Amino acid sequence: MTTSLLAIYAGLYFWGVARYEQHTRRRFPQRFIAAECIALVALWVAIVALDAWADASFAAHMIQHVILIAIVAPALVLGAPLRVLLGALPRAQARTLARVLRSRAVSMLTAPPIAWLAFIAVLWGAHYSNLYELALEHPAIHIAEHVAFLASAALFWSHAFPVAPLPARLAPPARALYLFLAGPPTAFLGLSLWSSHGVLYPHYLHVTNPFGLSPLEDQHAGGLVMWASGSVMTLTAVLAVLARWARAERSAIVACAVTFACSCIATPARTNAAIDGKIVYAVHCASCHGADLRGGPDAPSIRGVGAADVDWWVATGRMPAAIPWVQQPRRPLLLSPAEVDAVVTYVVSVAPGGPPIPHVETNGNLQRGRELFAQNCEHCHGADAQGNSIGSDYVAPDLAAATAKQVGEAVRVGVGMMPKFGERQISSNGLNDLATYVDWVHCGRQTPGGIDLSAIGPFGEGAVAWLVVTIGVTGYAWFLGTRMRRANETKEPEPVD
Amino acid sequence: MIVPRLVAWADERLGTRSFVKHALRKAFPDHWSFMLGESALYALIVLIATGIYLAFAFNPSGERGPYHGPYVPLQGTTVSGAYASVLQISFVLPGGLLFRQVHHWAAVLFVAAILIHMTRVFLTGAFRRPRELNWMVGFSLLLLGLFEGFSGYSMPDDELSGTGLRIGYSIAAATPFIGKWAAAFLTGGAFDSPQTTGRLYALHCILGPALLLGAIALHMLILWRQKHTQFRGPGATEANVIGAPMWPNYAIVSLAFGSLIATLLVALGAFVQINPIWQYGPYHPWQVAAPAQPDWYLGWLDGALRIFPPVEINLAGYHIESALLAGAVVPGIAIGLFLFWPFVERAFTHDGAVHNLLDDPFGVPQRTGIAAATFTFFAVLTFAGSNDIQSYYLHVPVDVLTVAYRVLVFVLPLLAYLATVELLRERTSWPPAENEGSRKTIVRTTSGGFDEKATRS
């Protein structure tokens, strides 16, 4: 019966794809179809081919579950059946379905935290309760259990692959975190089974194990399968998400560490096509810089400042600022990189002029870069680019988080208190060299000799010296002196010299 | 067999036996604070041992040429011979970086150890008659230590020390009448002349150590001749010294102490980076290293320069600038005051008696108060010497810090003095005398309550 149900589903899917292509006059991506085929084959293997063994061996049963959760569910999601459905239905019904999918109820029920909770709840509930035993006894419950597995896992995975038309869409770092958080509970489940001391499911005491394992050994093997495959599954998915993200936005990787923790909250759908620079400007910038970019009491005019200027301020998180007219520190990004690009394009299109975003690479001449840095940057940013105070309450910031592009923009624009360096002071080759050196200082520098105090300079070295003298030297003198005195006190006083 | 015969041989010709016998029986007062001076001595031994190794590899040349070495960002850059040789010591010479770092840590520690020792001598009044001369010799050792430190710090010709050298040059050049010549003596011509490192090398490696060792020999000789002071205690009088004999008791303890200092210095050199000149780069007069500071023991001088108001005085046709006032007059007064401190103090106390017994620091509130004020004064100046870094990390405008230090440099020493004097005065008048009639007797009554009985007189 299962096989025929699968065949019907496959037929419907292909029919839907055909309707979709007919309606939209676009080809449905082949890789989606391939994913759906894999899902169906794997589902057949898990439910039909493995079913006999699953009743007799816990380990085989766990393999069945892992196939459902880690192969069938993600492949099913990647096949984008909802998209197919939306494309295949007549326009009126499709619109109704879309409205349902975007409704508040669905968006709340499918929110990432709910999806995650449901996934873990089903997984733990099925193993840490009598439900497992019941499922083995009653085929109906077993089928319901498999459906629950598949549904919760599909919901879980739909947040990992942005193909499903769901309202909430996670930013890449949040998606990585979301996937990563699924690792510990699955690992815990697997480890608890692997390290168990008694047979948890009595059903297996009365059946003959097809692999010749004792019930406890079988249970341990099952736990191992769960633990190992759960870990491999989550880590692979996390790496895949990060790799995809890295390919999409190379410059964002540097900001990754900063934004990772901050952007874990699900953000509303952000598709590149939907971002309108004008709207981003209106929401984040216009309140101070004015709708016409001419500035106001809280902000300067930004007409004609150029793409490099706008990009530097926004892409380093300094803008939008909460407090105007003070030096802005680097902050985690509020806007997505696509929104940054959109607002830059918008500002330049409204009021052209100013330096463009320079093209900077970090494959320049390190030696020349060091010399340029020593001549032009070191006296404010410090020998180690660690930042320093430059008088009044201005600081030259630490350059650790500055990307090559941002270094180039700051140099060409002369942001804040910084002087502006044109082509005649620092050529575009020189800019590459400079960015190469800054990159090297923070990523690849060689500085032997032990714990690095150079960011503070000789002042820090003096503090260490005084620590050693007061605690080490004076303390040891006291220790030795008092012991010597105690030893001498047991004897008569020495005669006069 | 051989040792006794050698001893006999030497004794016959030099009469050493009685001296050695005498020396080995010399009594050392057994108070731990008498070992603090030795820590400076052991640091100096480490300094000389490592310094000789470094001197073999150091090239005091101001001649410039391209750098060819393993430090990638400087390859092909024009550097002086001195700078290149220090890079060579750091990156190529076996053990070079360790020796360099141990040498620098030992220098930084040497001055701190001298100061700790001096503090003990000052607080206990050990400088009083008949030891005024040895106080002055010891103070000269501190000045020599500062000079050795500054010249050694400047020798690698890196961006950071060059900035410091330029300040030293400017202070010297700001001196009226002799400024030009004084400055030229330091650098061998105009500023940044290629002869500078050669001059520093001669001063640091020949003149400085010769004076330092000579002064130390004098310091020990006078100590030997005058014998140690000692704290008051059972049997201790102005005419004797009670303590452990040098051999074997004190010598063993002292060696243990020396081993610890050598261990600490090598550990620091091995595990904590100091003066990474490759990061600062070679010196060019048109560049400035940041954060620019001297080593800690000259931080107070830098601090004085940073917070001194920009005043200029015209005196008989000579221009006196704030650089000179802050960089020469303030330290000149401080050095003069403490170099001649035994006489300064006597002018106030009129105490010209011979003192071999030490004062209890808690029993002399005035002197201890002056020590606290002096310490506070120089500590404030030292902290002012890194106001830029404090501004950066504490997010306080550097101007605010400068103004704050201008106030604190007067207020805090005064407060430290008054607080110390007041606390020690209270301590000496405590516990209150018994016959004041303030004692009460409390009696417990049969019903369980308490009653005050008649006051006992």
Side-chain angles (χ1 to χ4, degrees), chain A residues 367 370-371 375 382-384 386 388-389 392 445 447-452 454 456 458-459 461 465 478 494 497, chain B residues 32 72-75 77 101 108 227 243 271-273 275 278-279 287 290 293-294 296 386 388-389 391-392 398-399:
Chain A
Q367 292 79 21
R370 196 207 68 81
E371 266 179 39
Q375 279 167 17
D384 238 5
Q386 76 273 44
N388 200 8
S389 177
S392 190
R445 73 184 177 131
T447 183
I451 302 163
D452 183 4
S454 62
I456 306 179
F459 188 69
E461 295 162 3
W478 179 83
E494 286 292 324
D497 165 33
Chain B
W32 64 271
V72 181
L74 284 169
Q75 281 163 2
T77 309
Q101 296 207 130
V108 164
K227 303 187 176 63
F271 297 119
V272 190
Q273 189 187 62
N275 200 24
W278 51 90
Q279 255 151 260
Q287 295 174 4
Q293 302 152 350
W296 74 266
S386 64
D388 54 335
I389 292 181
S391 161
Y392 184 66
V398 76
D399 309 350

Side-chain angles (χ1 to χ4, degrees), chain B residues 178-190:
Chain B
I178 56 159
K180 261 193 301 191
W181 287 272
F185 171 75
L186 188 68
T187 57

Side-chain angles (χ1 to χ4, degrees), chain B residues 46-116:
Chain B
V46 173
L47 273 170
I48 293 172
T50 50
I52 289 171
Y53 186 73
L54 295 174
F56 285 140
F58 180 69
N59 169 20
S61 153
E63 263 183 56
R64 293 174 182 276
Y67 168 71
H68 303 291
Y71 189 66
V72 181
L74 284 169
Q75 281 163 2
T77 309
T78 306
V79 299
S80 68
Y83 187 75
S85 74
V86 181
L87 285 184
Q88 201 71 3
I89 288 171
S90 304
F91 289 112
V92 180
L93 186 69
L97 183 61
L98 179 67
F99 272 81
R100 227 197 96 214
Q101 296 207 130
V102 171
H103 190 74
H104 203 130
W105 278 118
V108 164
L109 217 85
F110 177 60
V111 185
I114 291 181
L115 275 179
I116 290 263

Side-chain angles (χ1 to χ4, degrees), chain B residues 195-216:
Chain B
Q195 291 181 37
T196 311
T197 314
R199 299 256 161 148
L200 288 171
Y201 182 72
L203 292 173
H204 182 82
C205 303
I206 299 168
L207 184 65
L211 289 176
L212 204 58
L213 289 175
I216 282 182

Side-chain angles (χ1 to χ4, degrees), chain B residues 236-322:
Chain B
T237 70
E238 290 281 5
N240 68 358
V241 179
I242 292 182
M246 174 146 155
W247 187 264
N249 305 32
Y250 196 75
I252 302 281
V253 174
S254 181
L255 278 176
F257 191 52
S259 316
L260 171 94
I261 286 166
T263 312
L264 281 177
L265 288 174
V266 174
L268 277 176
F271 297 119
V272 190
Q273 189 187 62
I274 189 163
N275 200 24
I277 56 149
W278 51 90
Q279 255 151 260
Y280 305 134
Y283 182 64
H284 297 295
W286 63 88
Q287 295 174 4
V288 178
Q293 302 152 350
D295 276 346
W296 74 266
Y297 43 81
L298 288 177
W300 59 278
L301 201 55
D302 196 19
L305 284 168
R306 286 186 192 205
I307 67 171
F308 207 88
V311 290
E312 290 180 8
I313 305 169
N314 259 313
L315 203 70
Y318 285 106
H319 214 57
I320 314 267
E321 292 177 57
S322 60

Side-chain angles (χ1 to χ4, degrees), chain A residues 53 76 169 197 202 244 263 350 383:
Chain A
W53 282 357
L76 208 60
R169 180 166 289 182
H197 293 296
R244 244 180 93 94
S263 55
V350 171

